[in-house]
DNA sequence: AGGCACACGTGAAAC
DNA sequence: TGTTTCACGTGTGCC
C-alpha cells in the first residue's frame, strides 16, 4: 500500500488545480457532474512550485477520461442494439437485459439444433416416435409451449401427407420443420412442431395416437403388407 | 448548477473523515484503491463540529458501495454466461463480446426465419427458383457461406426425391430444411440449404441447372405432360 | 426518506 | 513507451 500517497496527491492536485474549469476549454454545457466551481482562497497550498511536466500528466489524465467515456459509449451502444433485437422496451435494466439475452440465445440455439440435427434414414421397420425435446440443462424457462419431434417411418405413400397436415392442424401444432426422405421404396417423415401455449403435454399422446391410426390406415390400404412392426422409440 | 457546493463538501468531508480507515472495520486486505491513509495534520479544518447523524450518512455510503458492487457482479456474471455461449474465449473485450452477441442473435434469428417462414403451396405451373437470402441490412458478416432457398414445384413424383438428395450431396450443400407439400396431385419442395465455405455464388447456378434437368427428366417420364412452364422466379 | 440504476472519473494492470 | 480495459467508489436522479 505504498501508492496511497500518490493517489492522495493526485486527487488533491486535481482539487487544487480545478482542472476542468481553468485549463481545458471543454463545452460548458456538458454534464459536469463532478467538477468543482467554488473558490479555494483559504487553502494553504495556494502557491506551490510546479512539478516537472505536470501538464503532461494532466493531458494524460484527460486522454484517459475521454477514452474511458468512449469505451462506455461503445458498450452502451451495443447494449441498446440488443434492446432493439429483443422483446423489451428501452427502460429495462442493464442486468435484466443481459439475462434476457442469455435466455434468448439459448432458445435460438436450441431451436436451430432441433430443426437441423435430425438425421433422417428410412428404416426397414414401421416406426412412430413422438419425443419431447425439452431444454433440460440451463434454462427451464417454460413459457407453456413444448417442442416435439415426431417421426413416422413407413411405406412410401406420399398421399398420406395431406392427412398428416390435417392432424397437425387439428392439434394446433405449429410446424417448425418437416423433413422427408425416401430410400428403397420406404419413407421417413420427421416433423418438428411446437405445441399450443396451454395443451403442451396432452399433445404428445394425441399426436402419437393420430400417427398410429394414420400408419394403420396406410398399411391396410398398402399393396405390400409385409412389415408392420412398431419400433422401440414408440411411446405407449 | 446549485449542487456543486454540495459535491465539494461531500468530497472534502470524506477526505477529512478518512472514512474507510477510521470507522469501518473492512478487511484490510481488500482492494482499497481510493482510500486515504496519510495524515492531514497541516489541514486547517482539522477540528470541526460533528454534523448531526453523520454516522447514518456513512452507513448509507457503505450500503451504496456494496449495492453497486453487487450490481456490477450481476452484470458481469451474465456477461460471463454469454462468453460461454459464444465462440469466444474468456479474454475477449466486454465491448467486442457484446458486438459478437449482437451479430450472433441476428444470425440465429435470420436462420430461424429462413427455416420457418416458407409457405409451401403447390401451384398449377411447374416452377424452379433458387433464391439467395443474404442478410443485407446490418451484419455484412460474410463468412463465405451462403444460404439458398430452392423451390421446386411439379407433378407429384415422390421418386424424384432421391435424385434431389444426390444433387445436394454432389454440390456439397447442407440442408437446413426440406419441406414438401402435396395438393391435388401436385407437389412443391422447398429446400433451405447452406453452401460450402468457398463456392457460394457458383452453387446458385449449378443448383438451378440441376433442378431444371431434374424437372425435365420428370416431365419426359410423366404421364401427363400438360404443364411445362417455368415460373417468373427462375434465374437465367 | 431510502433503495435502485446509471454515468462518471480514476488507479491499476496488460500489452 | 502509451494505449486500452477493468473494477471501484461516488454523485445523482427516479421511484
Amino acid at each position: 500500500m505504498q501508492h496511497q500517497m500518490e493517489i492522495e496527491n493526485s486527487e488533491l492536485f486535481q482539487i487544487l488545480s480545478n482542472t476542468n474549469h481553468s485549463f481545458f476549454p471543454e463545452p460548458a454545457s456538458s454534464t459536469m457532474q463532478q467538477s468543482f466551481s467554488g473558490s479555494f482562497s483559504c487553502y494553504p497550498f495556494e502557491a506551490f512550485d510546479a512539478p516537472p511536466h505536470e501538464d503532461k500528466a494532466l493531458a494524460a489524465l484527460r486522454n484517459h477520461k475521454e477514452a474511458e467515456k468512449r469505451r462506455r459509449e461503445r458498450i452502451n451502444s451495443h447494449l441498446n442494439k440488443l434492446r432493439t433485437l429483443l422483446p423489451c422496451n428501452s427502460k429495462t435494466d442493464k442486468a435484466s437485459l443481459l439475462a434476457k439475452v442469455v435466455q434468448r440465445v439459448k432458445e435460438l440455439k436450441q431451436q436451430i439444433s432441433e430443426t437441423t440435427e435430425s438425421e433422417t434414414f428410412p428404416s426397414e421397420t414401421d416406426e412412430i416416435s413422438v419425443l419431447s425435446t425439452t431444454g433440460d440443462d440451463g434454462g427451464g424457462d417454460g413459457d407453456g409451449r413444448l417442442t416435439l419431434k415426431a417421426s413416422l417411418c413407413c411405406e412410401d405413400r406420399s398421399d398420406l401427407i395431406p392427412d398428416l397436415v390435417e392432424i397437425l392442424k387439428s392439434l394446433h401444432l405449429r410446424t417448425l420443420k418437416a423433413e422427408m426422405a425416401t430410400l428403397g421404396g420406404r419413407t421417413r417423415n420427421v416433423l418438428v412442431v411446437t405445441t399450443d401455449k396451454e395443451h403442451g403435454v396432452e399433445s404428445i399422446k394425441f399426436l402419437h395416437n393420430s400417427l398410429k391410426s394414420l400408419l394403420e390406415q396406410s398399411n391396410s390400404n398398402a399393396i405390400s403388407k409385409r412389415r408392420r412392426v412398431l419400433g422401440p422409440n414408440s411411446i405407449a
Side-chain angles (χ1 to χ4, degrees), chain A residues 60-192:
Chain A
L61 204 60
R62 188 180 57 131
N63 278 343
H64 183 31
K65 177 170 53 171
E66 291 169 352
E68 182 65 14
K69 185 170 179 59
R70 279 194 299 270
R71 174 179 166 268
R72 276 193 303 261
E73 285 169 352
R74 208 177 334 147
I75 292 177
N76 282 335
S77 91
H78 288 145
L79 249 38
N80 286 330
K81 227 174 295 177
L82 281 175
R83 264 180 248 268
T84 70
L85 262 60
L86 287 172
C88 90
N89 43 31
S90 67
K91 274 315 287 175
T92 48
D93 279 327
K94 222 179 276 194
S96 317
L97 168 68
L98 288 176
K100 281 180 191 290
V101 170
V102 170
Q103 177 190 347
R104 195 87 179 101
V105 169
K106 279 186 184 172
E107 285 178 12
L108 291 177
K109 286 180 73 169
Q110 192 196 356
Q111 213 177 62
I112 290 277
S113 71
E114 280 167 356
T115 56
T116 289
E117 70 175 13
S118 62
E119 316 217 14
T120 312
F121 298 107
S123 63
E124 289 292 314
T125 61
D126 289 357
E127 290 178 16
I128 301 173
S129 75
V130 179
L131 300 177
S132 150
T133 64
T134 47
D136 43 4
D137 62 305
D141 44 1
D143 54 340
R145 277 179 291 131
L146 215 59
T147 302
L148 306 181
K149 179 180 291 191
S151 176
L152 172 66
C153 182
C154 60
E155 292 288 312
D156 186 2
R157 296 266 326 277
S158 61
D159 55 313
L160 293 180
I161 306 282
D163 299 337
L164 200 54
V165 173
E166 273 308 307
I167 290 174
L168 299 179
K169 191 185 294 182
S170 69
L171 290 179
H172 298 99
L173 296 175
R174 195 166 73 90
T175 303
L176 296 179
K177 182 185 186 183
E179 199 174 70
M180 186 264 227
T182 65
L183 184 64
R186 292 189 60 79
T187 181
R188 159 165 266 155
N189 291 9
V190 177
L191 302 167
V192 181

